[in-house]
Amino acid sequence: MGLLEDLKKKILIADGAMGTLLYSHGVDSCFEELNLSKSEQIQLIHEAYINAGANVIQTNTYGANYQKLARYGLEDQVKEINIAGARIAKKAASQAYVLGTIGGIRSFRKSAVSIEEIKRSFREQLYILLNEEVDGILLETYYDLEEIRTILEIARKETNKPIVANVSLHEIGILQDGTHLTEAFNQLEQLGADVVGLNCRLGPYHMIRSLEEVPIPNKSFLSVYPNASLPEYVEGRLVYEKNTKYFEESAQHFREQGARLIGGCCGTTPLHIEAISNALKGLPPITNKVVKKQEHEISVKSADPNNAPPIHEIVKQKRSVIVELDPPKRLGISKFIEGAKALQQAGIDAITLADNSLASPRISNVAVGTILKTQYNMNPLIHITCRDRNLIGLQSHLMGLHTLGMNEVLAVTGDPSKIGDFPGATSVYDLSSFDLIGLIKQFNEGISYSGKPLGQKTNFSIAAAFNPNVRHLDKAVKRLEKKIAYGADYFITQPLFNEKQIEDVYEHTKHLSTPIYVGIMPLTSARNAEFIHHEVPGIKLSDSILDRMSAVSDNPIMAQQEGISIAKSLIDAAYELFNGIYLITPFLRYEITVELTNYIHAKQLATTERKVY
Ligand SMILES: Cc1cc2nc3c(=O)[nH]c(=O)nc-3n(C[C@H](O)[C@H](O)[C@H](O)COP(=O)(O)OP(=O)(O)OC[C@H]3O[C@@H](n4cnc5c(N)ncnc54)[C@H](O)[C@@H]3O)c2cc1C
Ligand SMILES: [Zn+2]
């Protein structure tokens, strides 16, 4: 009799957690290494699950791959650890089937490990486990559909043994990339999974609700390995509920949803497995069920469109000036408001508000942006960094901006904390700038990161950063192309200080139809020029600019005038080639950026309009 033949006829009980059980026993190191150093402890756990009623157990090899073992410096022991894991489980198994388990590597951070590295590490573990003649392969805790699809394809080519493919959900019925569970199961079935199912992250309640939306698969069997509950922090440790009675009831519901392989994931213990086993004793599997309508099919309506056209449309059609005026570093905003009003009067298209630029805290750009918008009818463009907010904070921030009707955003990585006022502060970087652009684009489709409907579509016009102050402009342009692919509507550059460089940027980007605002930052003194030249990564001033500023180093008024005059020459160069100019106001000296705005508008009157971007 094989595992699949058994599943045709009956419900099989699987085992529960290994990792969290060891953790609850005080183990805080690499769980899989215990296959070598404490094999009896692992064997006792397998036996406890079998005594509790498990017909199917899994090897203690969930994280025994190159990538995860490397965190403990154990990457050269992949072979020994997997061999030992398989042998211990087989020794404990008696009548039970032994699945060789291979856990997912990516969690929600797609870019962390490349698909090539994942393939390599998967193949290595797979061959070892197959070589040890396990009864089947268990793929578990895959948040990333691309990852499990890729490795399932590899596994299916390598073996005819049963493969169980378990994904982990982000929300009820929905995977991280927004795919509905029914669709995910279909794909896994088509790629040859014999059993498809769910494990980890959610407890029985959310898994049952998820399965309610999924038909019983045609060709494969359904598995479910819920966590015991949501975890709680108690005295610094994660603790799950000891809810065995609840597991008895839940087991009945899993059966009603068509599950045939039922076990547990994090937080479950032999007592949970005993509860499931008792609840289902002698009960046949269900073959038919009524499928509930998918909850996330709520129609998504567009939010009220903003009256002003988005910036990327404006700059496609006409010359456009946007000006950065940073929120103050100290409390009190009267000078800031004065500056904003002066720039508004000068006729700029948007005022851009940095997000703690140079990694130093400033008054929240949303706070000052709200005042500008609601009290002065201005159009704030909000910079958003990935540095200061985790995924939860970013989504909340975006929903807040939409609610306030602020649709202009610039998605950037953010300057590193090291350069700012608090060099020890944590930098979050849950998302890269690419991911953030992609997330905002997805918001425009009305879908959150997890694939959950937002109830409305947002109208964000998405700017992205372009840093041409790099050694290889080609590479920077490749990043632009990638940002466009992720959904960037237009670009804003770092300040440029060299006419020749502006031409280079044009030559390298003229194949793109995405508009670019060229950054111009007026220098304010010779020291300011020296600092930028020598200390700001990537930025180099031309010799002539350094000389010009140095010549007026004794006279602050003349230095400011010289800075403005240099900025005008740079504007002249940019004006020839680009529709968009992005002026950066130094140290809240808005009179400088007002003067430059007036200069651009005067040029505009004097020259014939040309449509270039
Ligand atoms: C218009 C504009 C506004 C900004 N506003 C803010 C702000 O409000 N707050 C703030 O903290 N920071 C701000 N920044 C700074 C920005 O976050 C940093 O310059 C950051 O290092 C790059 O951001 P990015 O979004 O361009 O990142 P990415 O293009 O995603 O770059 C990320 C990383 O890759 C590196 N990189 C970029 N290009 C290349 C290349 N060609 N080759 C190799 N490596 C490369 C970068 O150095 C960076 O470490 C702004 C930058 C610009 C251009
Ligand atoms: Zn788990």
Side-chain angles (χ1 to χ4, degrees):
M1 233 354 140
L3 174 65
L4 298 180
E5 283 71 30
D6 268 359
L7 281 173
K8 265 185 204 152
K9 294 184 301 224
K10 55 187 179 190
I11 295 174
L12 293 183
I13 309 300
D15 55 358
M18 175 62 81
T20 45
L21 198 61
L22 288 166
Y23 178 73
S24 72
H25 293 173
V27 177
D28 235 349
S29 53
C30 172
F31 301 134
E32 290 80 8
E33 190 280 331
L34 300 182
N35 293 343
L36 301 178
S37 61
K38 290 213 170 140
S39 60
E40 325 76 53
Q41 190 178 2
I42 304 300
Q43 189 176 330
L44 282 174
I45 292 176
H46 287 319
E47 285 167 2
Y49 279 123
I50 292 170
N51 291 335
N55 318 111
V56 181
I57 62 168
Q58 57 180 289
T59 53
N60 179 33
T61 56
Y62 168 75
N65 58 60
Y66 182 93
Q67 300 292 335
K68 286 194 176 164
L69 289 180
R71 293 179 196 162
Y72 302 93
L74 296 170
E75 66 276 19
D76 52 2
Q77 294 193 54
V78 173
K79 190 166 177 188
E80 291 85 340
I81 291 174
N82 280 281
I83 290 178
R87 292 185 185 170
I88 299 164
K90 285 181 82 167
K91 201 161 147 197
S94 77
Q95 302 299 308
Y97 294 107
V98 173
L99 298 178
T101 185
I102 305 182
I105 290 176
R106 285 178 173 171
S107 52
F108 62 84
R109 199 187 266 258
K110 225 184 169 79
S111 55
V113 186
S114 76
I115 209 74
E116 284 311 315
E117 287 169 306
I118 286 171
K119 281 186 189 170
R120 212 175 309 132
S121 140
F122 178 76
R123 279 205 177 93
E124 181 182 24
Q125 205 185 351
L126 177 72
Y127 296 153
I128 303 166
L129 290 170
L130 289 175
N131 209 31
E132 287 300 309
E133 309 219 324
V134 290
D135 299 310
I137 294 293
L138 171 61
L139 309 175
E140 58 168 354
T141 326
Y142 286 84
Y143 288 93
D144 187 275
L145 189 57
E146 182 197 8
E147 181 181 3
I148 191 168
R149 283 175 50 96
T150 308
I151 53 124
L152 173 58
E153 243 179 310
I154 295 175
R156 188 71 293 167
K157 281 196 192 122
E158 292 298 331
T159 183
N160 291 325
K161 291 198 170 157
I163 301 178
V164 182
N166 284 343
V167 293
S168 299
L169 289 175
H170 210 77
E171 300 285 340
I172 292 174
I174 299 168
L175 274 76
Q176 182 169 279
D177 68 353
T179 308
H180 191 267
L181 191 55
T182 308
E183 168 61 19
F185 283 170
N186 281 339
Q187 293 185 17
L188 297 175
E189 204 180 62
Q190 274 173 19
L191 291 170
D194 301 292
V195 181
V196 294
L198 291 176
N199 83 294
C200 208
R201 182 146 195 276
L202 305 173
Y205 170 77
H206 292 100
M207 287 203 179
I208 294 162
R209 288 192 56 192
S210 302
L211 292 179
E212 283 172 351
E213 298 179 3
V214 177
I216 299 175
N218 288 329
K219 291 192 284 186
S220 54
F221 301 108
L222 204 55
S223 68
V224 57
Y225 289 67
N227 282 356
S229 63
L230 300 175
E232 188 190 12
Y233 261 116
V234 180
E235 291 167 4
R237 292 183 78 82
L238 278 179
V239 175
Y240 290 83
E241 294 295 310
K242 296 186 174 55
N243 45 4
T244 51
K245 183 90 196 103
Y246 176 64
F247 259 63
E248 263 187 55
E249 291 157 23
S250 303
Q252 300 282 3
H253 293 300
F254 285 133
R255 172 177 172 265
E256 284 160 20
Q257 294 310 321
R260 294 211 185 187
L261 178 62
I262 307 177
C265 205
C266 297
T268 58
T269 62
L271 291 175
H272 290 93
I273 298 306
E274 189 177 20
I276 299 172
S277 172
N278 287 341
L280 300 179
K281 205 156 262 163
L283 292 178
I286 295 283
T287 49
N288 269 312
K289 74 172 195 191
V290 178
V291 178
K292 233 172 113 177
K293 197 171 165 299
Q294 292 177 10
E295 265 192 22
H296 78 304
E297 277 180 351
I298 309 167
S299 67
V300 174
K301 72 170 173 37
S302 280
D304 292 338
N306 194 336
N307 286 336
I311 295 290
H312 67 273
E313 291 299 340
I314 293 178
V315 70
K316 274 183 190 167
Q317 280 152 29
K318 68 174 189 79
R319 299 274 176 195
S320 170
V321 183
I322 58 176
V323 181
E324 178 169 330
L325 185 73
D326 288 341
K329 284 178 102 172
R330 295 185 186 194
L331 296 178
I333 57 168
S334 40
K335 181 156 187 219
F336 172 85
I337 295 289
E338 238 174 59
K341 281 174 26 188
L343 288 162
Q344 183 187 31
Q345 275 200 338
I348 62 171
D349 288 314
I351 189 155
T352 95
L353 303 173
D355 190 10
N356 303 324
S357 52
L358 301 177
S360 294
R362 292 172 177 276
I363 296 174
S364 148
N365 57 2
V366 177
V368 291
T370 305
I371 293 174
L372 295 184
K373 186 171 175 70
T374 55
Q375 296 185 20
Y376 301 99
N377 200 26
M378 291 184 204
N379 193 17
L381 189 162
I382 307 291
H383 300 202
I384 307 175
T385 70
C386 303
R387 179 196 57 225
D388 297 343
R389 291 170 204 86
N390 69 7
L391 190 48
I392 304 166
L394 280 173
Q395 294 213 57
S396 149
H397 195 52
L398 289 170
M399 290 195 287
L401 288 172
H402 168 79
T403 306
L404 290 166
M406 293 193 207
N407 298 322
E408 300 297 342
V409 290
L410 166 68
V412 290
T413 305
D415 293 315
S417 304
K418 254 203 162 67
I419 68 170
D421 287 358
F422 304 112
T426 319
S427 297
V428 182
Y429 301 134
D430 273 359
L431 300 185
S432 67
S433 60
F434 302 118
D435 298 329
L436 179 57
I437 292 165
L439 175 65
I440 302 173
K441 200 74 188 169
Q442 197 170 311
F443 262 57
N444 282 351
E445 295 303 314
I447 310 285
S448 82
Y449 186 82
S450 55
K452 210 173 163 184
L454 289 163
Q456 290 181 1
K457 291 182 179 180
T458 57
N459 283 316
F460 291 117
S461 166
I462 311 165
F466 173 19
N467 182 10
N469 297 312
V470 289
R471 202 166 295 162
H472 303 290
L473 196 49
D474 293 359
K475 281 195 192 154
V477 173
K478 285 270 170 297
R479 291 181 80 82
L480 297 194
E481 287 165 0
K482 191 163 166 192
K483 286 177 179 177
I484 294 170
Y486 273 76
D489 293 311
Y490 66 108
F491 293 105
I492 309 180
T493 80
Q494 292 277 29
L496 303 182
F497 290 97
N498 192 316
E499 284 96 343
K500 169 80 177 61
Q501 191 187 11
I502 293 172
E503 280 168 34
D504 277 355
V505 167
Y506 173 74
E507 285 304 322
H508 279 79
T509 57
K510 62 183 181 198
H511 63 290
L512 303 175
S513 56
T514 309
I516 296 174
Y517 279 87
V518 175
I520 309 281
M521 183 162 83
L523 299 164
T524 51
S525 67
R527 283 179 66 187
N528 174 233
E530 292 285 332
F531 164 75
I532 291 171
H533 181 69
H534 294 291
E535 295 193 39
V536 179
I539 301 187
K540 289 282 164 266
L541 309 190
S542 66
D543 288 345
S544 76
I545 290 180
L546 284 171
D547 291 346
R548 280 171 74 178
M549 291 308 290
S550 161
V552 288
S553 61
D554 298 338
N555 186 330
I557 296 172
M558 278 177 68
Q560 177 160 323
Q561 274 317 314
E562 192 63 12
I564 292 174
S565 149
I566 292 167
K568 285 179 181 168
S569 320
L570 293 167
I571 287 170
D572 290 343
Y575 192 89
E576 288 299 310
L577 303 168
F578 296 90
N579 256 10
I581 306 282
Y582 160 63
L583 301 173
I584 300 151
T585 310
F587 314 111
L588 270 186
R589 295 198 203 157
Y590 60 84
E591 67 284 359
I592 301 179
T593 36
V594 166
E595 181 175 340
L596 294 175
T597 305
N598 291 337
Y599 177 74
I600 298 167
H601 288 154
K603 266 177 94 72
Q604 209 171 328
L605 281 179
T607 55
T608 329
E609 234 354 43
R610 283 175 42 197
K611 247 187 212 168
V612 281
Y613 42 79

